């Protein structure tokens, strides 16, 4: 029997494994790829690590810092191994995993941490009219093909969605010799960091079409993408007539959002939050299933890997506490609810059986706001407030609360108010 | 000419910095922003990140970067230089791939260790 099994060896899983190992726990990490590091391995651009190291690294460099430490601490791991199923019996979890080298195996664990990251929304999750040719792929897949495997997915490229991956790929494809004809964003503002608009689009004169979306996809010979049509949209996102622009492209990259990957929770009775599309957690990163923890992008999609690391270190601390039996179940808990202008909040539950006194709440604003007060209420009473110059949906906000001040009965509400 | 405002790209924070005719910088939250604004006005530079071909089956491409920012107008030329290179032997992270690229005085270095599969960390690592 293992004390802790961590599923996923990216930024989140590495941090959890390191933190728990340093606290003297027995931990096994399972990674399905042939290398540790997760998505960082294909994010070859720079901009990682400013928060944690106060220095700027590329994705692989950032990953390597943790991989080196991981190997030095002699932590157990499996590579090329996919977890198929997690089941819970009374006192432990049973994990079924599969690998080419060893076939199907089962192991037992007292605690499980899900750090499986997120997956990309694909064409199927938005209503995109037109034909279904080759050449319409997600930006992250194109990034992997180019940066890891070393081949270009196309020569004339258009990008739908202005998330950071889309912007980064616009520059990347351009640098490798592709013609990048533009980026369309359905919202009136970009979803990516401003710095990426500047250094990925403006630097190379790649146009950004705000309030535009793809309204037709046409295939040419041998069913390869031949052209797309974009149109301006109104405030209800309906295409406006006579605004159509045609682009002859062989590739359409989709950068239309990430969704936490929680497929492994299917066999467990986990309560899911429709807002985060992941498990609901308490302040110890524990799901509604005792001993099952979740963090990183599989909990909530982060903008910066630094925040994934910091969150996962906190989660690792909590898992260690759990195994040291520092908590006693007492059923006292309250809900944490997103209020006015707040898109989602984690944790969703404050469980008073857990000890650390500090409560860290992450959330996202629903819209762009200026001169904003973050307010936390309990039973109509203001328990916390903080001024914030700008709130944008593209950036996750984090606040710290001292929860010894809170009562144990009334739900906690978080709202944003413009001054 | 007056003032010019733009977004600082030194880090993901993205400060709006303003620079006037006398090269006075405002709006920056750190010193790097001041330096960035001045460079952006006189000689804009960027760190270039890309990949290099290898002869390794398990890693056909390995990621690299310029150690320091290089002049913006040299970026496409630098890409051409980097794309001429094929690495044939194992290298450590930080090792130099191209020395003094385009006479900028700046090296192109590996951002990932390049290790052949056979000597890589074993697939299963269990200490006991």
């Amino acid at each position: 029997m293992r004390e802790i099994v961590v599923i996923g060896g990216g930024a989140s899983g590495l941090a959890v494994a390191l933190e728990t190992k340093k606290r003297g726990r027995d931990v096994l990490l399972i990674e399905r790829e042939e290398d540790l590091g997760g998505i960082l391995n294909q994010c070859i651009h720079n901009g990682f690590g400013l928060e944690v190291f106060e220095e700027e690294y590329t994705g692989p460099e950032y990953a390597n810092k943790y991989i080196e430490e991981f190997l030095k601490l002699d932590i157990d791991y499996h590579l090329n191994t996919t977890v198929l199923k997690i089941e819970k019996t009374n006192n432990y979890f049973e994990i079924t995993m599969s690998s080419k080298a060893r076939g199907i195996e089962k192991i037992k664990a007292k605690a499980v941490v899900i750090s499986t990251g997120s997956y990309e929304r694909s064409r199927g999750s938005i209503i995109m009219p037109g034909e279904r040719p080759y050449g319409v792929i997600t930006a992250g897949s194109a990034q992997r093909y180019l940066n890891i495997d070393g081949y270009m997915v196309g020569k004339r490229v258009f990008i739908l969605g202005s998330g950071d991956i889309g912007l980064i790929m616009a520059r990347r494809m351009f640098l490798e010799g592709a013609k990048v004809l533009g980026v369309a964003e359905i919202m009136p503002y970009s979803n990516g960091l401003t710095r990426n608009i500047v250094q990925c689009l403006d630097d190379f004169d790649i146009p950004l079409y705000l309030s535009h979306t793809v309204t037709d996809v046409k295939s040419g010979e041998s069913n390869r993408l031949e052209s797309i049509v974009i149109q301006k949209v109104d405030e209800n996102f309906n295409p406006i007539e006579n605004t159509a622009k045609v682009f002859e492209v062989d590739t359409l990259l989709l950068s239309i959002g990430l969704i936490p990957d929680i497929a492994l929770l299917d066999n467990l009775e986990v309560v899911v939050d429709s807002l985060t599309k992941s498990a609901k957690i308490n302040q110890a990163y524990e799901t509604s299933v005792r001993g099952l923890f979740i963090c990183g992008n599989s909990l909530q999609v982060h903008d910066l890997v630094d925040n994934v690391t910091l969150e996962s270190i906190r989660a690792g601390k909590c898992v260690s506490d759990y195994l040291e039996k520092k908590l006693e179940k007492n059923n006292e808990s309250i809900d944490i609810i997103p209020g006015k202008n707040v898109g989602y909040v984690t944790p969703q539950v404050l469980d008073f059986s857990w000890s650390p006194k500090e409560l860290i709440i992450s959330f996202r604003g629903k819209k762009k706001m200026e001169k904003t007060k973050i307010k936390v209420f309990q039973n109509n009473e203001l328990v916390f407030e903080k001024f914030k110059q700008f709130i944008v949906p593209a950036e996750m906000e984090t606040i710290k609360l001292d929860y010894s001040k809170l009562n144990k009965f009334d739900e906690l509400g978080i709202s944003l108010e413009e001054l | 000419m007056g003032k010019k405002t733009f977004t600082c790209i030194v880090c993901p924070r993205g400060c709006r910095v303003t620079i006037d005719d006398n090269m006075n910088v405002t709006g920056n939250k750190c010193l790097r922003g001041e330096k960035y604004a001045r460079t952006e006005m006189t000689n804009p530079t960027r760190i270039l990140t890309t990949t290099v071909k290898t002869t390794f089956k398990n890693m056909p491409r390995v990621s690299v970067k310029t150690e320091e920012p290089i002049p913006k107008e040299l970026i496409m030329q630098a890409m051409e230089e980097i794309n001429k290179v094929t690495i044939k032997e194992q290298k450590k992270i930080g090792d130099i791939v191209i020395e003094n690229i385009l006479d900028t005085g700046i090296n192109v270095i590996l951002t990932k260790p390049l290790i052949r599969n056979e000597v890589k960390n074993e697939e299963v690592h269990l200490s006991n």
Side-chain angles (χ1 to χ4, degrees):
Chain A
M1 171 101 70
R2 287 280 177 175
E3 276 197 321
I4 305 164
V5 166
V6 176
I7 303 170
S12 178
L14 287 169
V16 172
L18 280 166
E19 185 62 25
T20 49
K21 181 76 176 184
K22 283 180 195 164
R23 287 168 183 268
R25 310 318 315 179
D26 160 65
V27 54
L28 168 73
L29 183 145
I30 304 171
E31 166 58 46
R32 68 178 172 190
E33 295 275 333
E34 64 179 272
D35 287 302
L36 296 169
I39 205 72
L40 285 165
N41 285 327
Q42 69 182 59
C43 298
I44 63 161
H45 53 282
N46 58 341
F48 302 89
L50 277 152
E51 198 88 6
V52 175
F53 298 108
E54 288 178 5
E55 228 168 295
E56 196 173 26
Y57 295 112
T58 64
E61 288 172 313
Y62 186 94
N64 202 253
K65 298 232 160 238
Y66 293 93
I67 295 170
E68 275 180 2
E69 201 185 348
F70 182 93
L71 298 176
K72 210 181 284 168
L73 289 188
D74 213 20
I75 300 172
D76 291 349
Y77 62 89
H78 292 309
L79 298 177
N80 291 319
T81 305
T82 305
V83 172
L84 302 174
K85 199 159 69 175
I86 308 168
E87 287 159 297
K88 169 111 202 227
T89 64
N90 286 335
N91 303 311
Y92 60 86
F93 293 91
E94 190 171 66
I95 295 138
T96 310
M97 55 188 182
S98 150
S99 65
K100 223 174 180 178
R102 302 177 316 281
I104 303 265
E105 291 170 295
K106 282 187 176 185
I107 44 165
K108 293 184 173 98
K110 287 180 188 163
V112 170
V113 183
I114 307 286
S115 49
T116 47
S118 57
Y119 64 91
E120 295 182 279
R121 289 178 79 203
S122 59
R123 184 174 181 176
S125 53
I126 56 169
I127 305 155
M128 190 195 289
E131 293 172 87
R132 295 285 186 272
Y134 299 115
V136 182
I137 67 167
T138 58
S141 301
Q143 187 180 45
R144 192 206 152 93
Y145 290 139
L146 185 52
N147 293 347
I148 305 279
D149 304 321
Y151 53 91
M152 292 275 279
V153 293
K155 290 179 183 133
R156 292 177 63 85
V157 183
F158 196 89
I159 293 160
L160 176 63
S162 68
D164 286 312
I165 312 169
L167 301 176
I168 295 284
M169 278 312 287
R171 172 177 63 183
R172 189 74 191 106
M173 297 290 283
F174 180 93
L175 286 176
E176 290 293 356
K179 283 244 176 322
V180 182
L181 288 105
V183 177
E185 168 60 55
I186 196 164
M187 302 301 285
Y189 51 83
S190 160
N191 278 313
L193 298 167
T194 317
R195 112 194 257 254
N196 285 334
I197 303 283
V198 175
Q199 62 181 359
C200 298
L201 302 187
D202 298 353
D203 270 8
F204 306 105
D205 297 320
I206 299 167
L208 173 61
Y209 299 94
L210 294 174
S211 297
H212 276 75
T213 193
V214 173
T215 54
D216 201 7
V217 173
K218 287 185 183 119
S219 72
E221 262 171 67
S222 32
N223 204 23
R224 176 86 199 189
L225 176 63
E226 192 175 69
S227 67
I228 60 152
V229 177
I230 68 166
Q231 264 174 281
K232 204 171 165 49
V233 296
D234 62 22
E235 59 271 27
N236 300 316
F237 307 118
N238 292 318
I240 302 169
E241 267 184 77
N242 302 321
T243 60
K245 288 187 187 72
V246 182
F247 293 92
E248 277 174 25
V249 289
D250 57 22
T251 304
L252 176 63
L253 296 186
L254 306 177
S255 173
I256 50 179
L258 301 169
I259 299 172
D261 188 348
I262 55 162
L264 282 174
L265 302 184
D266 284 355
N267 294 300
L268 300 158
E269 277 165 24
V270 170
V271 180
V272 169
D273 183 347
S274 61
L275 298 173
T276 57
K277 298 186 173 63
S278 178
K280 283 191 178 180
I281 54 157
N282 60 32
Q283 75 278 26
Y285 301 92
E286 189 189 31
T287 66
S288 57
V289 173
R290 184 105 290 184
L292 180 69
F293 297 78
I294 188 164
C295 55
N297 277 359
S298 44
L299 169 64
Q300 54 187 338
V301 177
H302 294 69
D303 332 305
L304 299 175
V305 71
D306 300 63
N307 293 336
V308 169
T309 299
L310 296 171
E311 177 181 287
S312 303
I313 290 172
R314 294 197 296 269
K317 209 180 287 179
C318 294
V319 185
S320 302
D321 283 352
Y322 171 77
L323 290 160
E324 282 162 31
K325 295 252 186 277
K326 275 189 191 160
L327 85 160
E328 277 165 42
K329 189 81 188 133
N330 63 12
N331 286 324
E332 280 178 328
S333 72
I334 56 171
D335 289 340
I336 307 175
I337 311 284
K340 203 177 159 199
N341 295 321
V342 175
Y344 74 76
V345 55
T346 68
Q348 294 87 345
V349 177
L350 177 54
D351 181 340
F352 287 95
S353 58
W354 276 93
S355 45
K357 282 281 170 283
E358 200 175 57
L359 169 62
I360 293 175
I361 299 178
S362 304
F363 63 92
R364 270 178 209 273
K366 262 189 189 162
K367 55 172 191 182
K368 246 184 176 174
M369 294 170 79
E370 254 181 78
K371 294 201 174 67
T372 309
K373 274 245 166 93
I374 302 169
K375 291 186 173 178
V376 183
F377 291 96
Q378 190 176 35
N379 196 18
N380 294 324
E381 201 182 303
L382 189 67
V383 291
F384 175 91
E385 77 176 325
K386 189 185 168 188
F387 177 79
K388 190 88 196 180
Q389 188 69 33
F390 293 106
I391 295 277
V392 284
E395 279 174 39
M396 188 194 291
E397 302 292 335
T398 301
I399 54 170
K400 278 182 198 173
L401 288 185
D402 177 358
Y403 72 78
S404 57
K405 285 184 196 158
L406 305 174
N407 79 47
K408 295 181 177 180
F409 317 103
D410 298 306
E411 62 181 38
L412 218 55
I414 301 181
S415 59
L416 294 170
E417 283 171 33
E418 233 158 344
L419 295 178
Chain B
M1 189 179 92
K3 289 177 186 172
K4 204 177 169 196
T5 302
F6 43 85
T7 302
C8 176
I9 59 163
V10 174
C11 82
R13 204 176 282 142
C15 295
R16 294 288 291 166
V17 294
T18 302
I19 186 161
D20 65 18
D21 284 344
N22 303 321
M23 289 294 199
N24 293 318
V25 183
T26 49
N28 53 310
K29 290 201 182 76
C30 74
L31 276 175
R32 288 181 305 175
E34 194 172 313
K35 194 178 154 208
Y36 170 77
R38 295 207 177 113
T39 321
E40 194 67 9
M41 291 302 283
T42 50
N43 174 32
T45 59
R46 301 283 184 265
I47 286 189
L48 175 62
T49 62
T50 180
T51 57
V52 168
K53 282 192 284 280
T54 81
T55 55
F56 290 51
K57 252 205 183 119
N58 62 299
M59 246 174 121
R61 291 264 161 176
V62 64
S63 55
V64 297
K65 70 172 183 187
T66 56
E67 227 170 342
E68 298 289 330
I70 60 168
K72 208 166 107 176
E73 77 265 12
L74 291 181
I75 282 180
M76 290 318 282
Q77 246 175 292
M79 280 298 293
E80 274 175 42
E81 289 303 308
I82 294 168
N83 281 343
K84 284 179 196 160
V85 176
T86 304
I87 307 180
K88 298 184 181 76
E89 64 286 334
Q90 297 199 88
K91 278 186 188 294
K92 296 192 299 293
I93 189 166
D95 279 358
I96 295 173
V97 177
I98 300 175
E99 226 177 290
N100 184 20
I101 189 163
L102 302 171
D103 285 324
T104 51
I106 292 158
N107 301 325
V108 175
I109 60 168
L110 275 196
T111 57
K112 199 189 272 187
L114 178 58
I115 310 166
R116 227 177 270 284
N117 225 359
E118 302 86 84
V119 292
K120 248 165 74 174
N121 306 299
E122 62 272 55
E123 203 158 274
V124 182
H125 174 92
L126 301 175
S127 46
N128 44 347

